[in-house]
Amino acid sequence: MIAHASLDNLDQKLTEKNNVLFYPNIDYQNSWNISAYVTPGFQRFIILHDVANNDGIKNFFQNVYETYIKLLLNPFYQHNSQIVSQAFDQKVRAAAKKFLGF
């Protein structure tokens, strides 16, 4: 619910057209910071965090985006469907462990 509510703040920042992909700390609610990454195709990745680690979060988002692109290029993946790949999940978890420490 918190991440969903922060989408309005992200959409407002996107109207500024500043060609930025990473948006650190777009919102703050209940001791949670919300940061976002917007791809050139306007896919939005959002993370809730309690520690200010902008470089780690940015690197995490970039790694997840690369993994997401590889998934989209898979001819067996049906576009606009739920991602149920265990390999994708494992790669995102590994990126979280590497860049975010959990």
Side-chain angles (χ1 to χ4, degrees), residues 16-70:
E16 297 170 2
K17 299 194 187 268
N18 52 11
N19 295 326
V20 176
L21 297 177
F22 177 58
Y23 294 89
N25 305 319
I26 60 168
D27 201 358
Y28 180 83
Q29 293 184 11
N30 300 335
S31 76
W32 290 102
N33 291 309
I34 297 103
S35 296
Y37 187 87
V38 180
T39 70
F42 295 104
Q43 290 291 331
R44 297 173 287 192
F45 298 109
I46 295 178
I47 189 169
L48 280 73
H49 55 95
D50 58 355
V51 178
N53 179 8
N54 288 342
D55 290 335
I57 293 169
K58 182 178 181 179
N59 291 333
F60 168 75
F61 276 137
Q62 288 173 337
N63 188 286
V64 170
Y65 177 55
E66 289 176 14
T67 305
Y68 177 70
I69 290 296
K70 290 176 184 176

